Amino acid sequence: MVFEIEDIVKTIGEKYFRYKTWTDLEIRDTLLKVLPILQKKGLLDSKLDADTVQLRSKLERRQCSDCYYVNCLGSEEAKKCLRCSSEKLVEFPTRIKR
């Protein structure tokens, strides 16, 4: 999946309450600081000269049973909490079994 950086900035500003008061420039600057970290982890390829980002693997949301932090982990990443390093991660949001 290939995403335009400007589309990501717009989506973050519109969908996430935490960033409602941020300008597009502030969101973009923060995103550009995070992208190299995600690229180093092997989660994505970013072509900043073309202003695009490509995901390498599917992301999964898991919640830590110890500290309740919600982690977004790539399928190749170690299944450990990014906050406390616990291996006790559960699917988030929890699916109701019927």
XYZ file of all heavy atoms in Angstrom:
809
model
N 0.846 -1.181 0.000
C 0.000 0.000 0.000
C 0.888 1.239 0.000
O 1.787 1.362 0.817
C -0.894 0.008 1.229
C -1.849 -1.156 1.321
S -2.753 -1.150 2.879
C -4.182 -0.237 2.425
N 0.597 2.147 -0.903
C 1.356 3.388 -1.011
C 0.459 4.545 -0.592
O -0.691 4.641 -1.020
C 1.864 3.601 -2.461
C 2.607 4.910 -2.577
C 2.743 2.441 -2.890
N 0.993 5.415 0.257
C 0.249 6.564 0.762
C 1.013 7.848 0.474
O 2.238 7.893 0.587
C 0.039 6.456 2.277
C -0.705 5.231 2.701
C -0.027 4.089 3.099
C -2.081 5.219 2.710
C -0.702 2.955 3.486
C -2.781 4.091 3.107
C -2.089 2.960 3.497
N 0.295 8.894 0.144
C 0.869 10.227 -0.006
C 0.988 10.844 1.393
O 0.060 10.741 2.199
C -0.030 11.113 -0.871
C -0.240 10.601 -2.278
C 0.937 10.917 -3.175
O 1.627 11.914 -2.923
O 1.154 10.132 -4.116
N 2.099 11.502 1.666
C 2.310 12.100 2.986
C 1.250 13.155 3.291
O 0.730 13.224 4.405
C 3.740 12.658 3.116
C 4.718 11.480 3.160
C 3.879 13.546 4.343
C 6.168 11.847 3.268
N 0.876 13.946 2.297
C -0.143 14.978 2.521
C -1.493 14.354 2.880
O -2.232 14.904 3.692
C -0.273 15.891 1.302
C 0.910 16.814 1.107
C 1.272 17.623 2.347
O 0.362 18.193 3.001
O 2.467 17.686 2.678
N -1.820 13.195 2.300
C -3.067 12.506 2.644
C -3.028 12.003 4.087
O -4.034 12.057 4.797
C -3.324 11.330 1.704
C -3.670 11.780 0.286
O -4.062 12.957 0.117
O -3.535 10.952 -0.637
N -1.868 11.530 4.521
C -1.708 11.071 5.909
C -1.897 12.241 6.867
O -2.605 12.134 7.867
C -0.325 10.415 6.123
C -0.187 9.167 5.260
C -0.116 10.080 7.597
C 1.207 8.592 5.237
N -1.289 13.374 6.547
C -1.395 14.576 7.394
C -2.861 15.006 7.509
O -3.357 15.279 8.607
C -0.517 15.715 6.834
C -0.805 17.028 7.534
C 0.954 15.354 6.956
N -3.576 15.055 6.389
C -4.993 15.442 6.402
C -5.822 14.472 7.245
O -6.653 14.888 8.046
C -5.550 15.447 4.978
C -5.305 16.691 4.217
C -6.036 16.594 2.890
C -5.684 17.743 1.996
N -6.311 17.630 0.677
N -5.596 13.184 7.055
C -6.360 12.172 7.788
C -6.121 12.274 9.289
O -7.067 12.208 10.079
C -5.996 10.760 7.285
O -6.282 10.679 5.892
C -6.773 9.695 8.029
N -4.865 12.446 9.683
C -4.552 12.581 11.108
C -5.262 13.798 11.691
O -5.864 13.730 12.763
C -3.025 12.664 11.333
C -2.383 11.308 11.045
C -2.701 13.133 12.746
C -0.865 11.323 11.041
N -5.202 14.918 10.994
C -5.842 16.143 11.471
C -7.352 16.042 11.574
O -7.968 16.610 12.474
N -7.970 15.294 10.664
C -9.429 15.166 10.651
C -9.955 14.100 11.601
O -11.005 14.262 12.202
C -9.912 14.825 9.230
C -9.705 15.941 8.240
C -9.959 15.505 6.798
O -10.295 14.317 6.576
O -9.807 16.341 5.910
N -9.253 12.987 11.729
C -9.783 11.820 12.433
C -9.380 11.705 13.897
O -10.072 11.070 14.675
C -9.347 10.526 11.729
C -9.739 10.467 10.285
C -11.032 9.756 10.128
C -11.350 9.655 8.644
N -12.704 9.397 8.385
N -8.246 12.280 14.273
C -7.744 12.075 15.628
C -7.914 13.339 16.458
O -7.297 14.366 16.201
C -6.278 11.634 15.596
C -6.133 10.266 14.980
C -5.863 10.119 13.619
C -6.306 9.117 15.741
C -5.762 8.856 13.044
C -6.207 7.854 15.178
C -5.937 7.740 13.822
O -5.852 6.502 13.263
N -8.750 13.230 17.481
C -9.083 14.359 18.336
C -7.847 15.029 18.930
O -7.789 16.241 19.070
C -10.032 13.887 19.449
C -10.553 15.002 20.296
C -11.499 15.875 19.802
C -10.086 15.184 21.588
C -11.979 16.916 20.575
C -10.556 16.222 22.376
C -11.508 17.088 21.860
N -6.844 14.236 19.255
C -5.624 14.742 19.875
C -4.946 15.811 19.000
O -4.308 16.725 19.508
C -4.679 13.579 20.106
C -3.287 13.977 20.473
C -2.404 12.775 20.564
N -1.860 12.721 21.888
C -1.173 11.728 22.388
N -0.960 10.666 21.678
N -0.694 11.776 23.588
N -5.098 15.705 17.684
C -4.400 16.602 16.757
C -5.304 17.670 16.149
O -4.899 18.373 15.232
C -3.736 15.779 15.646
C -2.796 14.738 16.198
C -3.156 13.393 16.250
C -1.560 15.102 16.716
C -2.307 12.439 16.786
C -0.706 14.160 17.259
C -1.086 12.835 17.290
O -0.241 11.895 17.830
N -6.510 17.839 16.661
C -7.456 18.822 16.106
C -6.916 20.252 16.164
O -7.215 21.060 15.297
C -8.792 18.763 16.849
C -9.564 17.508 16.612
C -10.397 17.624 15.371
C -11.298 16.402 15.277
N -11.726 16.114 13.957
N -6.130 20.567 17.175
C -5.623 21.934 17.318
C -4.271 22.144 16.636
O -3.763 23.255 16.619
C -5.493 22.308 18.811
O -4.579 21.393 19.438
C -6.843 22.248 19.507
N -3.695 21.079 16.089
C -2.402 21.177 15.421
C -2.599 21.685 13.996
O -3.585 21.370 13.338
C -1.722 19.820 15.359
C -1.249 19.266 16.665
C -1.814 19.429 17.889
C -0.115 18.434 16.861
N -1.106 18.737 18.841
C -0.060 18.114 18.221
C 0.841 17.899 16.011
C 0.934 17.312 18.770
C 1.818 17.100 16.545
C 1.871 16.819 17.908
N -1.617 22.426 13.502
C -1.642 22.834 12.102
C -1.121 21.680 11.247
O -0.455 20.769 11.748
C -0.751 24.065 11.861
O 0.611 23.708 12.097
C -1.157 25.234 12.745
N -1.407 21.736 9.959
C -0.895 20.707 9.046
C 0.630 20.671 9.073
O 1.233 19.603 8.986
C -1.376 20.952 7.613
C -2.834 20.583 7.414
O -3.441 20.006 8.337
O -3.366 20.867 6.318
N 1.260 21.812 9.229
C 2.720 21.883 9.270
C 3.272 21.170 10.508
O 4.258 20.436 10.425
C 3.193 23.334 9.235
C 4.695 23.561 9.189
C 5.301 22.924 7.938
C 5.018 25.038 9.228
N 2.620 21.346 11.657
C 3.061 20.670 12.885
C 2.910 19.158 12.758
O 3.799 18.401 13.166
C 2.249 21.166 14.093
C 2.548 22.592 14.491
C 1.596 23.098 15.561
O 0.378 22.874 15.439
O 2.090 23.720 16.520
N 1.793 18.709 12.199
C 1.574 17.270 12.013
C 2.613 16.714 11.048
O 3.211 15.665 11.285
C 0.147 16.979 11.511
C -0.881 17.386 12.566
C -0.019 15.506 11.140
C -2.324 17.348 12.085
N 2.861 17.421 9.942
C 3.833 16.975 8.939
C 5.237 16.881 9.543
O 5.943 15.903 9.330
C 3.824 17.913 7.739
C 4.769 17.490 6.634
C 4.733 18.486 5.464
N 5.741 18.199 4.503
C 5.657 17.306 3.533
N 4.565 16.586 3.424
N 6.640 17.119 2.698
N 5.647 17.892 10.309
C 6.976 17.880 10.935
C 7.131 16.684 11.877
O 8.167 16.023 11.889
C 7.239 19.184 11.703
C 7.484 20.369 10.792
O 7.737 20.163 9.584
O 7.413 21.510 11.292
N 6.100 16.408 12.666
C 6.140 15.265 13.581
C 6.193 13.955 12.808
O 6.973 13.059 13.138
C 4.920 15.289 14.521
O 4.911 16.532 15.228
C 4.956 14.136 15.502
N 5.395 13.845 11.767
C 5.379 12.647 10.933
C 6.751 12.408 10.301
O 7.244 11.284 10.282
C 4.303 12.777 9.852
C 4.138 11.613 8.892
C 3.696 10.363 9.642
C 3.143 11.960 7.806
N 7.384 13.463 9.822
C 8.698 13.325 9.181
C 9.787 12.918 10.175
O 10.812 12.371 9.773
C 9.076 14.610 8.450
C 8.216 14.927 7.223
C 8.623 16.259 6.614
C 8.266 13.814 6.197
N 9.566 13.155 11.462
C 10.506 12.690 12.490
C 10.309 11.214 12.797
O 11.252 10.513 13.144
C 10.321 13.501 13.778
C 10.793 14.933 13.660
C 10.502 15.711 14.916
C 10.831 17.179 14.731
N 10.394 17.985 15.871
N 9.074 10.725 12.669
C 8.738 9.343 12.997
C 9.051 8.383 11.840
O 9.436 7.236 12.066
C 7.250 9.246 13.397
C 6.806 7.815 13.559
C 6.999 10.032 14.669
N 8.901 8.835 10.620
C 9.082 7.962 9.455
C 10.438 7.256 9.410
O 10.482 6.055 9.145
C 8.837 8.736 8.159
C 7.388 9.105 7.885
C 7.272 9.901 6.597
C 6.486 7.899 7.857
N 11.568 7.939 9.675
C 12.847 7.217 9.661
C 12.929 6.104 10.705
O 13.543 5.067 10.462
C 13.885 8.307 9.947
C 13.231 9.587 9.572
C 11.773 9.381 9.828
N 12.281 6.279 11.839
C 12.273 5.259 12.881
C 11.514 4.023 12.390
O 11.981 2.890 12.545
C 11.638 5.810 14.184
C 12.475 6.959 14.736
C 11.466 4.703 15.225
C 11.789 7.779 15.808
N 10.359 4.242 11.773
C 9.562 3.138 11.246
C 10.262 2.453 10.076
O 10.179 1.244 9.920
C 8.180 3.633 10.816
C 7.307 4.188 11.932
C 6.012 4.761 11.364
C 7.015 3.138 12.983
N 10.994 3.242 9.304
C 11.746 2.670 8.188
C 12.895 1.809 8.707
O 13.147 0.715 8.199
C 12.283 3.786 7.295
C 12.881 3.293 6.010
C 13.210 4.426 5.065
O 13.128 5.590 5.415
N 13.595 4.086 3.853
N 13.547 2.267 9.754
C 14.647 1.511 10.358
C 14.153 0.184 10.937
O 14.851 -0.819 10.889
C 15.300 2.353 11.450
C 16.617 1.858 11.930
C 17.229 2.855 12.899
C 18.616 2.450 13.288
N 19.229 3.420 14.210
N 12.913 0.168 11.460
C 12.328 -1.055 12.002
C 11.871 -2.002 10.894
O 11.476 -3.127 11.164
C 11.114 -0.723 12.871
C 11.438 -0.155 14.210
C 10.145 0.046 14.965
C 10.400 0.198 16.440
N 9.171 0.125 17.212
N 11.886 -1.541 9.654
C 11.489 -2.378 8.531
C 9.989 -2.417 8.279
O 9.502 -3.284 7.565
N 9.255 -1.480 8.854
C 7.806 -1.462 8.681
C 7.365 -0.780 7.397
O 6.289 -1.060 6.874
C 7.136 -0.769 9.863
C 7.289 -1.466 11.204
C 6.681 -0.624 12.310
C 6.632 -2.819 11.169
N 8.191 0.133 6.897
C 7.792 0.851 5.698
C 8.995 1.340 4.916
O 10.113 1.366 5.424
C 6.864 2.020 6.043
C 7.335 3.082 7.042
C 8.191 4.143 6.371
C 6.143 3.728 7.666
N 8.719 1.705 3.687
C 9.693 2.379 2.833
C 9.163 3.777 2.624
O 7.997 3.951 2.254
C 9.813 1.685 1.470
C 10.496 0.337 1.574
O 11.444 0.220 2.366
O 10.075 -0.586 0.860
N 9.991 4.779 2.879
C 9.538 6.138 2.629
C 10.421 6.764 1.558
O 11.636 6.626 1.583
C 9.554 6.976 3.910
O 10.854 7.129 4.399
N 9.759 7.390 0.631
C 10.451 8.114 -0.434
C 10.087 9.576 -0.246
O 9.108 10.060 -0.822
C 10.015 7.576 -1.790
C 10.394 6.119 -1.969
C 9.867 5.571 -3.266
C 10.295 4.120 -3.354
N 9.236 3.218 -3.657
N 10.848 10.252 0.608
C 10.500 11.620 0.967
C 10.619 12.568 -0.211
O 9.923 13.574 -0.270
C 11.357 12.086 2.145
C 11.165 11.282 3.438
C 12.078 11.793 4.531
C 9.726 11.306 3.887
N 11.505 12.255 -1.159
C 11.616 13.109 -2.336
C 10.344 13.031 -3.184
O 9.977 13.976 -3.864
C 12.848 12.745 -3.166
C 12.883 11.275 -3.565
O 12.347 10.432 -2.818
O 13.456 10.976 -4.626
N 9.656 11.903 -3.131
C 8.394 11.727 -3.859
C 7.192 11.935 -2.939
O 6.050 11.829 -3.372
C 8.338 10.333 -4.471
N 7.434 12.222 -1.670
C 6.373 12.424 -0.668
C 5.415 11.237 -0.572
O 4.203 11.401 -0.476
C 5.591 13.703 -0.940
C 6.274 14.935 -0.369
O 7.202 14.775 0.447
O 5.879 16.059 -0.726
N 5.978 10.025 -0.592
C 5.153 8.827 -0.462
C 5.726 7.896 0.597
O 6.907 7.940 0.911
C 5.049 8.048 -1.789
O 6.345 7.648 -2.200
C 4.381 8.871 -2.869
N 4.859 7.048 1.122
C 5.214 6.048 2.115
C 4.577 4.737 1.674
O 3.419 4.715 1.272
C 4.679 6.449 3.510
C 4.914 5.355 4.513
C 5.303 7.742 3.979
N 5.338 3.640 1.759
C 4.803 2.332 1.390
C 4.965 1.376 2.561
O 6.062 1.184 3.069
C 5.530 1.778 0.168
C 4.993 0.440 -0.269
C 5.644 -0.067 -1.538
O 6.589 0.516 -2.039
N 5.128 -1.153 -2.049
N 3.839 0.772 2.982
C 3.874 -0.216 4.056
C 4.472 -1.517 3.544
O 4.155 -1.960 2.446
C 2.476 -0.500 4.586
C 1.842 0.535 5.489
C 0.437 0.110 5.867
C 2.661 0.770 6.728
N 5.337 -2.127 4.345
C 5.928 -3.422 3.987
C 5.120 -4.584 4.531
O 5.152 -5.671 3.991
C 7.349 -3.533 4.550
C 8.355 -2.747 3.803
C 9.708 -3.081 4.355
N 10.748 -2.365 3.644
C 12.002 -2.431 3.967
N 12.391 -3.165 4.993
N 12.896 -1.758 3.282
N 4.451 -4.373 5.656
C 3.675 -5.458 6.253
C 2.413 -4.899 6.900
O 2.296 -3.709 7.150
C 4.509 -6.198 7.305
O 4.773 -5.358 8.400
N 1.496 -5.797 7.190
C 0.252 -5.431 7.845
C 0.536 -5.050 9.299
O 1.370 -5.664 9.953
C -0.696 -6.623 7.790
C -2.047 -6.360 8.373
C -2.925 -7.587 8.269
C -4.231 -7.323 8.966
N -5.083 -8.500 9.006
N -0.163 -4.036 9.796
C -0.027 -3.628 11.192
C -1.154 -4.246 12.012
O -2.293 -4.337 11.563
C -0.077 -2.110 11.321
C 1.051 -1.341 10.639
C 0.810 0.154 10.788
C 2.390 -1.722 11.222
N -0.813 -4.684 13.215
C -1.786 -5.274 14.128
C -1.808 -4.456 15.415
O -0.763 -4.049 15.907
C -1.397 -6.709 14.458
C -1.330 -7.624 13.266
C -0.762 -8.990 13.627
O -0.372 -9.202 14.781
O -0.715 -9.834 12.719
N -3.011 -4.240 15.953
C -3.137 -3.533 17.229
C -3.248 -4.559 18.340
O -4.091 -5.442 18.314
C -4.364 -2.631 17.212
C -4.196 -1.482 16.228
C -5.439 -0.661 16.126
N -5.637 0.070 17.367
C -6.707 0.798 17.606
N -7.672 0.874 16.740
N -6.828 1.448 18.742
N -2.366 -4.443 19.323
C -2.348 -5.351 20.487
C -2.257 -4.510 21.748
O -1.513 -3.536 21.803
C -1.144 -6.279 20.427
C -1.028 -7.115 19.190
C -1.957 -8.271 19.263
N -1.906 -9.045 18.031
C -2.540 -10.151 17.855
N -3.270 -10.647 18.817
N -2.485 -10.782 16.708
N -2.987 -4.917 22.770
C -2.938 -4.214 24.050
C -2.169 -5.040 25.056
O -2.356 -6.256 25.159
C -4.336 -3.936 24.575
C -4.320 -3.075 25.834
C -5.709 -2.646 26.250
O -6.690 -3.348 25.987
N -5.795 -1.502 26.886
N -1.298 -4.384 25.803
C -0.510 -5.046 26.830
C -1.397 -5.343 28.037
O -2.126 -4.470 28.516
C 0.648 -4.139 27.242
S 1.676 -4.851 28.541
N -1.313 -6.565 28.527
C -2.102 -6.959 29.697
C -1.515 -6.405 30.992
O -2.202 -6.339 32.013
C -2.176 -8.486 29.799
O -2.869 -9.010 28.704
N -0.253 -5.988 30.965
C 0.387 -5.446 32.170
C 0.187 -3.937 32.321
O -0.236 -3.468 33.366
C 1.887 -5.762 32.158
C 2.168 -7.239 32.362
O 1.284 -7.960 32.884
O 3.269 -7.683 31.995
N 0.495 -3.160 31.259
C 0.428 -1.700 31.386
C -0.705 -1.075 30.562
O -0.895 0.136 30.607
C 1.765 -1.071 30.994
S 2.144 -1.134 29.228
N -1.446 -1.890 29.811
C -2.608 -1.477 29.015
C -2.279 -0.563 27.838
O -3.162 0.033 27.251
C -3.691 -0.829 29.902
C -4.119 -1.738 31.013
C -3.712 -1.484 32.318
C -4.887 -2.864 30.757
C -4.079 -2.333 33.347
C -5.252 -3.722 31.780
C -4.852 -3.444 33.073
O -5.211 -4.289 34.082
N -1.016 -0.475 27.479
C -0.601 0.328 26.318
C -1.067 -0.365 25.037
O -0.975 -1.578 24.907
C 0.922 0.474 26.322
C 1.474 1.357 25.236
C 1.325 2.733 25.306
C 2.151 0.820 24.145
C 1.838 3.559 24.318
C 2.673 1.631 23.155
C 2.510 2.998 23.249
O 3.018 3.808 22.262
N -1.589 0.407 24.087
C -2.021 -0.152 22.809
C -0.864 -0.014 21.821
O -0.410 1.089 21.524
C -3.284 0.555 22.278
C -3.665 0.002 20.910
C -4.442 0.395 23.253
N -0.367 -1.145 21.347
C 0.772 -1.205 20.440
C 0.300 -1.448 19.013
O -0.624 -2.228 18.795
C 1.686 -2.385 20.820
C 2.251 -2.247 22.209
O 3.308 -1.686 22.403
N 1.535 -2.771 23.199
N 0.922 -0.813 18.045
C 0.699 -1.112 16.629
C 1.974 -1.772 16.145
O 3.017 -1.116 16.038
C 0.418 0.159 15.836
S -1.201 0.840 16.165
N 1.907 -3.064 15.898
C 3.096 -3.837 15.558
C 2.976 -4.415 14.161
O 1.910 -4.866 13.750
C 3.281 -4.976 16.562
C 3.407 -4.576 18.028
C 3.353 -5.807 18.913
C 4.678 -3.800 18.255
N 4.104 -4.425 13.454
C 4.158 -5.067 12.154
C 4.177 -6.566 12.325
O 4.538 -7.087 13.382
N 3.797 -7.282 11.274
C 3.710 -8.740 11.386
C 5.072 -9.387 11.622
O 5.150 -10.458 12.199
C 3.044 -9.327 10.143
O 3.710 -8.915 8.979
N 6.169 -8.730 11.211
C 7.503 -9.292 11.443
C 8.139 -8.824 12.754
O 9.181 -9.317 13.151
C 8.456 -8.924 10.291
C 8.249 -9.740 9.030
C 7.180 -9.148 8.132
O 7.181 -7.908 7.981
O 6.352 -9.895 7.613
N 7.514 -7.867 13.424
C 8.070 -7.341 14.674
C 7.888 -8.319 15.819
O 6.931 -9.100 15.840
C 7.361 -6.033 15.064
C 8.066 -4.797 14.628
C 7.398 -3.571 15.203
O 6.260 -3.285 14.829
O 8.026 -2.889 16.019
N 8.795 -8.254 16.787
C 8.659 -9.068 18.006
C 7.384 -8.654 18.721
O 7.075 -7.471 18.823
C 9.865 -8.851 18.911
N 6.647 -9.614 19.204
C 5.373 -9.342 19.887
C 5.637 -9.000 21.347
O 5.341 -9.764 22.260
C 4.429 -10.537 19.768
C 4.124 -10.947 18.342
C 3.437 -9.841 17.573
C 3.068 -10.304 16.183
N 3.296 -9.331 15.157
N 6.236 -7.821 21.550
C 6.517 -7.304 22.884
C 5.958 -5.897 22.987
O 5.959 -5.144 22.017
C 8.029 -7.251 23.136
C 8.670 -8.590 23.337
C 10.106 -8.425 23.746
C 10.733 -9.774 24.039
N 12.105 -9.634 24.509
N 5.527 -5.536 24.189
C 5.010 -4.198 24.436
C 6.115 -3.175 24.225
O 7.239 -3.345 24.715
C 4.465 -4.110 25.859
S 3.844 -2.471 26.290
N 5.793 -2.115 23.497
C 6.788 -1.078 23.224
C 7.038 -0.190 24.439
O 8.035 0.521 24.481
C 6.333 -0.228 22.025
C 6.188 -0.999 20.712
C 5.575 -0.103 19.642
C 7.526 -1.547 20.264
N 6.150 -0.252 25.440
C 6.332 0.550 26.638
C 7.064 -0.224 27.734
O 8.036 0.250 28.299
C 4.992 1.035 27.171
C 5.140 1.877 28.430
C 3.818 2.284 29.013
N 3.254 3.383 28.256
C 2.000 3.789 28.386
N 1.176 3.179 29.214
N 1.546 4.804 27.694
N 6.609 -1.459 28.033
C 7.167 -2.176 29.191
C 7.863 -3.486 28.827
O 8.362 -4.183 29.703
C 6.070 -2.441 30.222
S 4.894 -3.714 29.733
N 7.888 -3.839 27.558
C 8.548 -5.053 27.035
C 7.890 -6.361 27.443
O 8.466 -7.424 27.264
C 10.028 -5.073 27.419
O 10.683 -3.970 26.862
N 6.683 -6.285 27.969
C 5.951 -7.500 28.325
C 5.560 -8.253 27.057
O 5.326 -7.651 26.013
C 4.693 -7.141 29.120
O 3.871 -8.264 29.288
N 5.482 -9.569 27.166
C 5.037 -10.393 26.045
C 3.559 -10.750 26.158
O 3.041 -11.496 25.351
C 5.895 -11.650 25.957
C 7.338 -11.343 25.592
C 8.192 -12.582 25.467
O 7.691 -13.709 25.692
O 9.383 -12.418 25.159
N 2.885 -10.196 27.166
C 1.470 -10.485 27.398
C 0.600 -9.504 26.603
O 0.049 -8.556 27.151
C 1.140 -10.382 28.875
C 1.890 -11.353 29.750
C 1.559 -11.102 31.198
C 2.464 -11.883 32.117
N 2.281 -11.454 33.507
N 0.480 -9.738 25.300
C -0.300 -8.865 24.444
C -1.571 -9.585 23.995
O -1.547 -10.764 23.680
C 0.507 -8.459 23.210
C 1.799 -7.689 23.478
C 2.515 -7.390 22.177
C 1.525 -6.406 24.235
N -2.676 -8.847 23.982
C -3.946 -9.390 23.525
C -4.471 -8.536 22.380
O -4.102 -7.377 22.229
C -4.996 -9.452 24.670
C -4.561 -10.424 25.751
C -5.252 -8.078 25.251
N -5.350 -9.128 21.580
C -5.928 -8.421 20.454
C -6.675 -7.185 20.924
O -7.331 -7.194 21.968
C -6.897 -9.376 19.740
C -7.439 -8.841 18.457
C -8.314 -9.884 17.760
O -8.193 -11.069 18.056
O -9.118 -9.448 16.936
N -6.566 -6.087 20.188
C -7.257 -4.850 20.544
C -7.929 -4.283 19.326
O -7.309 -4.175 18.283
C -6.277 -3.831 21.114
C -6.958 -2.568 21.566
C -7.490 -2.492 22.829
C -7.074 -1.479 20.717
C -8.121 -1.340 23.247
C -7.710 -0.328 21.130
C -8.235 -0.243 22.397
N -9.156 -3.871 19.369
C -10.069 -4.087 20.487
C -10.433 -5.563 20.597
O -10.446 -6.270 19.599
C -11.292 -3.242 20.127
C -11.231 -3.097 18.653
C -9.802 -3.177 18.267
N -10.754 -5.973 21.788
C -11.097 -7.370 22.030
C -12.365 -7.716 21.252
O -13.346 -6.993 21.307
C -11.323 -7.623 23.529
O -10.170 -7.175 24.237
C -11.556 -9.083 23.814
N -12.307 -8.791 20.529
C -13.455 -9.248 19.744
C -14.410 -10.029 20.656
O -13.983 -10.863 21.457
C -13.003 -10.158 18.601
C -12.011 -9.508 17.703
C -12.697 -8.632 16.697
N -11.723 -8.126 15.749
C -11.580 -6.856 15.445
N -12.325 -5.961 16.012
N -10.676 -6.472 14.569
N -15.689 -9.758 20.514
C -16.693 -10.484 21.281
C -16.991 -11.771 20.537
O -17.343 -11.760 19.350
C -17.974 -9.643 21.434
C -17.667 -8.359 22.211
C -19.066 -10.461 22.117
C -18.835 -7.397 22.271
N -16.850 -12.901 21.238
C -17.122 -14.205 20.633
C -18.602 -14.527 20.804
O -19.153 -14.416 21.884
C -16.247 -15.292 21.285
C -14.799 -15.074 21.008
C -13.952 -16.162 21.609
C -12.487 -15.868 21.322
N -11.621 -16.857 21.886
N -19.215 -14.926 19.708
C -20.653 -15.229 19.755
C -20.877 -16.685 19.540
O -20.251 -17.385 18.911
C -21.379 -14.442 18.695
C -21.302 -12.966 18.986
C -21.964 -12.187 17.860
N -21.758 -10.775 18.141
C -22.625 -9.865 17.869
N -23.762 -10.181 17.307
N -22.386 -8.613 18.127
